[in-house]
């Protein structure tokens, strides 16, 4: 009896009817693979998260086959799975337009219906180069691979592509719940000096319900686009003369400062002191910190009097300069230096997107200088602060990723071992579960990444906590230990929101502009039905302003229905309507966004709105 068996046979013997692939000794492979009977085998079934990626990977190949059959001269570049779907980069004389989508989708369904068997073959690099001799993209990829053999996948004799897999057993096993979404331009291998390809994006799901929900959420996300909402609320704008930077309007700046002031109150209560470091710093400091080597291409440079300066892309070297002033003792630790640091990074122009991706932004940054045995308590303290702030802002849960050492890093493996162990222990003691984000740590240390989930189920990575054994050493920061010896402190880099600009975009999309009353730039508008009631409306407005409510007065000679429509569009939380009844009875009618109205005495209305406008208790 053979000591090897195929995944198909093994799945059948184990009754795994839903298996689509398998993990053998930690590696994901096709069911057609033969495995040793003593191998550790786990089946990937439709209910597993990995299964959706495999379905999408196969559907990407099906789309590629459809394109080749419809436009035989097309050359295929790469087609990876991405979040919510996949794409394929194509070089083709035909310029794809949305009108082509239906034709491609029909051909894809034909390929699924044909149920071609999907097979894998491992061949030598020389054989692969010969097979793809007419394909400049595949030959370049194969040539650059530092391997002796490569794998190819075929749909019977109809289609063959270079791929690592794994894939479904046949095209007929693929889901028919897919949709081609859009076309974009993409440079070959991300190099702007190379050929511009046509990137065709698609999404794929295991059920019609999942596909419908995704498309619905996309439609809803478009309605919630923070750039559209910002225009309706008159918060900010951006223009070509300052790419990636924001022109804050009065209402937007009010919201910005309200959020910033709330964060400031939280951190000051939590034992931080606030500092501010220079925008422009000499190149020598960035070289000493290691940022010049790692981030030079993302830094804006200025020269003056023969000196090369850099606009700061981050705040940490400046925080160390403050720590170094004066002698520090172990009794001074932990020292928590907070900074709303305005930073600039030279992001590619094509990646800029509203407030979500900018070149100029403010971090709610802080650097905690501590001893190794304080990492645990400081991590728990930070996680508690972060949880409170997120909850106050309307996000009741978040996920955590632990990012360990990257390939390019500074420091010895022994230091990294210690840093990773201490941060993992602290995270566990803080009561947080986490997933591993392998190789994604900062070049100086491991980190935690905190991701929020919004009302559309989208995740936003915001907060971070990074353990740094390196920078205090590089920049010569010391404290006097209990035994009288000089030691380097540990530096914890941490942020709750990440970037205020980006977080404001997240808030606008999460709430669809209907912000909590305490955070709304305009909390109430007093609007008259006719100008006969202007005097009383002014009195109501003055009373609201006296108690600190952000109110506006609308005395325009327009119909009240027009005024209401304007203010509802501008996402004003409450409209105070003033007419004859309100004047006669000394009352105010309060109208809410859902159309509900309540008429109450003036004093009661002021108290009611004032109570609702209170920011969360710090």
């Amino acid at each position: 009896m053979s000591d090897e068996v195929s995944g198909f046979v093994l799945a059948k013997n184990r009754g795994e009817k839903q298996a689509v692939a398998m993990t053998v000794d930690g590696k994901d492979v096709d069911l057609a693979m033969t495995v040793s009977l003593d191998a550790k085998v786990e089946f990937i079934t439709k209910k597993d998260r990995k299964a959706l990626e495999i379905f999408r990977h196969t559907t990407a190949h099906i789309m590629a086959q459809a394109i080749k059959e419809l436009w035989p001269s097309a050359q295929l570049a790469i087609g990876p799975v991405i979040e919510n779907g996949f794409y394929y980069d194509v070089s083709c004389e035909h310029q794809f337009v949305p009108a082509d989508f239906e034709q491609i989708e029909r051909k894809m369904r034909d390929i699924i219906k044909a149920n071609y068997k999907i097979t894998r073959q491992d061949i030598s690099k020389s054989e692969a180069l010969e097979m793809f001799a007419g394909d400049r993209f595949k030959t370049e990829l194969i040539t650059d691979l530092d391997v002796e053999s490569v794998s190819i996948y075929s749909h019977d004799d109809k289609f063959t592509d270079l791929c690592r897999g794994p894939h479904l057993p046949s095209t007929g096993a693929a889901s028919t719940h897919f949709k081609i979404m859009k076309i974009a331009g993409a440079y070959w291998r991300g190099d702007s000096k190379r050929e511009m390809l046509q990137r065709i994006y698609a999404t794929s799901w295991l059920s019609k319900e999942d596909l419908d929900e995704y498309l619905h959420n996309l439609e809803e996300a478009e309605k919630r686009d923070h750039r559209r909402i910002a225009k309706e609320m008159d918060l900010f704008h951006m223009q070509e003369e300052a790419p990636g930077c924001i022109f804050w309007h009065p209402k937007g700046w009010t919201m910005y400062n309200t959020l910033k002031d709330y964060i400031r109150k939280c951190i000051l209560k939590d034992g931080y002191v606030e500092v501010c470091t220079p925008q422009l710093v000499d190149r020598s400091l960035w070289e000493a910190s290691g940022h010049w080597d790692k981030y030079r291409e993302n830094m804006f440079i200025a020269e003056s009097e023969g000196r090369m300066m850099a606009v700061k892309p981050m705040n940490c070297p400046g925080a160390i300069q403050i720590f170094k002033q004066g002698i520090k003792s172990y009794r001074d630790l932990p020292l928590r230096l907070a900074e709303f640091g305005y930073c600039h990074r030279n992001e590619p122009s094509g990646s800029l997107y509203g407030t979500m991706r900018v070149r100029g932004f403010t971090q709610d940054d802080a650097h905690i200088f501590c001893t190794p045995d304080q990492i645990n308590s400081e991590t728990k303290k930070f996680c508690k602060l972060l949880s409170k702030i997120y909850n106050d802002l309307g996000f009741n849960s978040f996920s955590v990723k632990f990012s360990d050492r990257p390939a390019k890093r500074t420091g010895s493996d022994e230091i990294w071992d210690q840093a990773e162990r201490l941060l993992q222990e602290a995270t566990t003691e803080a009561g947080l579960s986490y997933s591993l984000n392998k190789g994604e740590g900062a070049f100086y240390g491991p980190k935690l990444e905190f991701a929020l989930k919004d009302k559309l189920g989208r995740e936003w990575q915001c907060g971070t906590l990074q353990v740094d054994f390196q920078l205090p050493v590089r920049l010569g920061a010391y404290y006097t230990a209990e035994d009288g010896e000089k030691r380097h402190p540990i530096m914890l880099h941490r942020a709750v929101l990440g970037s205020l600009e980006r977080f404001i975009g997240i808030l606008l999309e999460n709430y669809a502009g209907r912000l909590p009353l305490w955070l709304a730039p305009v909390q109430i508008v007093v609007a008259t039905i006719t100008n006969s009631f202007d005097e009383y409306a002014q009195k109501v407005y003055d009373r609201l302003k006296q108690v600190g409510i952000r109110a506006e007065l609308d005395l325009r000679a327009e119909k009240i229905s027009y005024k209401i429509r304007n203010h509802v569009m501008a996402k004003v939380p409450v409209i105070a309507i003033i007419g004859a009844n309100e004047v006669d009875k000394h009352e105010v009618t309060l109208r809410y966004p859902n159309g509900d109205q309540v008429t109450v005495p003036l004093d009661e209305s002021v108290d009611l709105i004032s109570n609702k406008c209170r920011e969360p208790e710090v």
Side-chain angles (χ1 to χ4, degrees):
M1 182 177 175
S2 173
D3 60 353
E4 289 191 343
V5 65
S6 75
F8 291 119
V9 173
L10 198 58
K12 183 178 180 181
N13 292 343
R14 293 187 184 180
E16 290 285 2
K17 296 181 180 180
Q18 297 294 309
V20 297
M22 56 185 175
T23 303
V24 180
D25 295 331
K27 183 180 178 181
D28 296 339
V29 299
D30 307 307
L31 287 175
M33 184 78 71
T34 56
V35 298
S36 171
L37 291 176
D38 60 358
K40 182 181 178 182
V41 178
E42 295 178 358
F43 288 100
I44 301 171
T45 67
K46 288 184 179 180
K47 64 183 179 182
D48 296 322
R49 185 177 179 182
K50 283 183 180 178
L52 185 55
E53 292 184 10
I54 295 170
F55 270 86
R56 286 172 174 165
H57 198 173
T58 297
T59 310
H61 275 220
I62 291 170
M63 184 175 78
Q65 179 183 346
I67 291 169
K68 285 288 288 182
E69 290 187 6
L70 292 168
W71 295 277
S73 64
Q75 286 207 342
L76 304 170
I78 57 172
V81 171
I82 57 174
E83 185 180 8
N84 297 321
F86 55 89
Y87 67 77
Y88 235 103
D89 287 346
V90 182
S91 176
C92 187
E93 291 182 2
H94 175 76
Q95 293 298 309
F96 293 101
V97 294
D100 296 322
F101 293 174
E102 187 177 345
Q103 185 181 8
I104 298 172
E105 289 172 354
R106 281 200 306 270
K107 179 61 72 172
M108 289 172 68
R109 289 189 167 86
D110 289 342
I111 294 168
I112 292 173
K113 187 176 180 180
N115 196 24
Y116 299 120
K117 185 178 180 181
I118 299 177
T119 55
R120 174 192 171 105
Q121 185 181 2
D122 291 299
I123 59 177
S124 68
K125 281 184 69 172
S126 59
E127 288 177 301
L129 288 170
E130 184 178 347
M131 176 179 289
F132 293 100
D135 190 323
R136 62 187 183 279
F137 302 116
K138 303 301 180 189
T139 53
E140 182 177 326
L141 291 172
I142 295 166
T143 301
D144 290 350
L145 287 172
D146 186 20
V147 294
E148 293 182 359
S149 65
V150 298
S151 57
I152 60 171
Y153 278 83
S154 300
H155 301 170
D156 284 343
D157 60 351
K158 304 296 183 182
F159 174 79
T160 297
D161 202 1
L162 183 72
C163 188
R164 284 181 299 207
H167 280 281
L168 299 172
S170 69
T171 61
S175 170
T176 58
H177 308 298
F178 57 79
K179 184 175 179 61
I180 299 176
M181 303 301 297
K182 63 179 180 179
I183 301 167
Y187 291 110
W188 169 232
R189 305 190 90 167
D191 187 343
S192 60
K193 297 177 182 178
R194 306 291 299 274
E195 180 180 347
M196 173 68 79
L197 305 176
Q198 299 183 75
R199 177 167 292 178
I200 303 175
Y201 286 93
T203 189
S204 175
W205 300 84
L206 296 183
S207 71
K208 182 178 184 301
E209 291 74 21
D210 287 344
L211 175 61
D212 289 345
E213 181 182 2
Y214 173 70
L215 296 176
H216 169 76
N217 284 343
L218 271 186
E219 185 179 343
E220 186 63 26
E222 188 175 347
K223 295 176 186 175
R224 291 170 179 250
D225 188 316
H226 69 285
R227 297 167 300 178
R228 173 187 291 183
I229 292 171
K231 188 172 183 179
E232 293 170 348
M233 296 177 69
D234 190 23
L235 302 180
F236 63 81
H237 82 277
M238 307 177 84
Q239 60 189 62
E240 280 300 313
E241 288 78 3
C245 295
I246 301 169
F247 291 80
W248 289 102
H249 300 187
K251 292 175 184 177
W253 195 238
T254 295
M255 180 186 175
Y256 181 100
N257 283 317
T258 300
L259 179 62
K260 182 178 176 180
D261 290 345
Y262 160 72
I263 298 295
R264 175 178 281 125
K265 291 175 187 175
C266 289
I267 61 176
L268 294 180
K269 183 179 180 181
D270 211 43
Y272 291 80
V273 289
E274 190 175 344
V275 299
C276 181
T277 60
Q279 292 284 304
L280 204 59
V281 180
D282 191 273
R283 166 181 176 170
S284 59
L285 182 60
W286 301 113
E287 289 177 330
S289 69
H291 290 97
W292 191 262
D293 290 335
K294 302 293 181 181
Y295 292 105
R296 166 67 184 85
E297 62 183 19
N298 295 115
M299 297 167 75
F300 288 101
I301 306 301
E303 291 190 33
S304 175
E305 299 179 342
R307 297 179 67 181
M308 184 174 287
M309 316 283 281
V311 182
K312 68 174 178 180
M314 51 203 60
N315 306 299
C316 28
I320 290 184
Q321 305 315 303
I322 292 177
F323 178 88
K324 288 170 62 178
Q325 301 305 300
I327 298 172
K328 298 294 188 299
S329 160
Y330 70 93
R331 295 187 181 89
D332 299 316
L333 306 183
L335 177 60
R336 308 179 188 97
L337 301 183
E339 178 176 12
F340 292 99
Y342 192 49
C343 300
H344 283 79
R345 295 180 186 173
N346 191 13
E347 302 285 359
S349 59
S351 69
L352 301 178
Y353 174 62
T355 66
M356 302 297 198
R357 190 76 177 265
V358 291
R359 287 178 173 171
F361 59 94
T362 299
Q363 293 178 309
D364 65 321
D365 212 352
H367 298 92
I368 302 169
F369 297 89
C370 64
T371 63
D373 59 3
Q374 290 172 334
I375 292 176
N376 194 307
S377 58
E378 287 302 306
T379 297
K380 289 193 287 187
K381 185 178 179 65
F382 171 67
C383 290
K384 183 178 179 181
L385 171 69
L386 177 138
S387 298
K388 180 226 171 348
I389 292 175
Y390 285 173
N391 189 67
D392 286 348
L393 292 170
F395 301 96
N396 299 318
S397 64
F398 55 85
S399 61
V400 184
K401 290 183 180 178
F402 180 88
S403 300
D404 63 4
R405 68 195 73 185
K408 294 183 179 180
R409 58 184 183 270
T410 59
S412 67
D413 286 344
E414 290 77 15
I415 288 176
W416 274 90
D417 289 341
Q418 183 184 12
E420 289 174 355
R421 176 178 56 78
L422 289 171
L423 184 56
Q424 285 176 317
E425 289 175 356
T427 308
T428 300
E429 288 201 27
L432 298 176
S433 59
Y434 58 86
S435 59
L436 180 62
N437 196 19
K438 196 160 185 61
E440 293 300 319
F443 73 88
Y444 50 75
K447 65 179 177 179
L448 299 180
E449 296 180 344
F450 301 85
L452 301 173
K453 185 172 285 188
D454 70 10
K455 291 181 179 178
L456 295 183
R458 300 173 299 179
E459 283 201 332
W460 302 93
Q461 192 272 306
C462 296
T464 57
L465 175 67
Q466 304 168 3
V467 178
D468 187 355
F469 280 67
Q470 316 285 338
L471 207 54
V473 176
R474 294 181 69 108
L475 297 183
Y478 297 93
Y479 70 95
T480 304
E482 195 169 359
D483 59 6
E485 295 294 319
K486 291 174 70 177
R487 298 216 173 96
H488 297 290
I490 309 303
M491 188 177 184
L492 304 181
H493 308 243
R494 108 299 169 272
V496 178
L497 306 184
S499 149
L500 266 70
E501 289 78 2
R502 180 170 177 268
F503 202 88
I504 284 174
I506 294 170
L507 283 170
L508 291 174
E509 295 200 3
N510 182 63
Y511 287 104
R514 305 289 180 192
L515 297 164
L517 211 60
W518 69 273
L519 195 52
V522 177
Q523 295 167 323
I524 186 170
V525 169
V526 181
T528 53
I529 292 177
T530 71
N531 291 116
S532 305
F533 314 120
D534 287 0
E535 184 178 348
Y536 180 67
Q538 183 71 52
K539 179 180 179 181
V540 173
Y541 169 79
D542 291 341
R543 288 285 302 277
L544 293 166
K545 295 290 284 186
Q546 284 170 7
V547 297
I549 295 171
R550 294 190 290 273
E552 286 189 349
L553 185 60
D554 186 350
L555 303 180
R556 292 176 296 169
E558 301 283 356
K559 291 182 178 179
I560 189 63
S561 58
Y562 176 81
K563 293 182 181 181
I564 289 173
R565 188 164 59 252
N566 275 187
H567 300 309
V568 168
M569 181 67 72
K571 311 296 188 293
V572 176
V574 186
I575 303 171
I577 300 172
I578 306 300
N581 289 336
E582 287 76 18
V583 172
D584 292 344
K585 298 179 180 179
H586 210 63
E587 293 178 335
V588 175
T589 295
L590 302 176
R591 186 190 188 281
Y592 297 99
N594 62 3
D596 289 348
Q597 293 188 175
V598 59
T599 302
V600 294
L602 173 58
D603 291 341
E604 185 179 330
S605 72
V606 173
D607 290 341
L608 180 64
I609 298 302
S610 183
N611 288 332
K612 288 186 175 183
C613 287
R614 287 200 183 107
E615 72 177 28
E617 186 177 344
V618 173

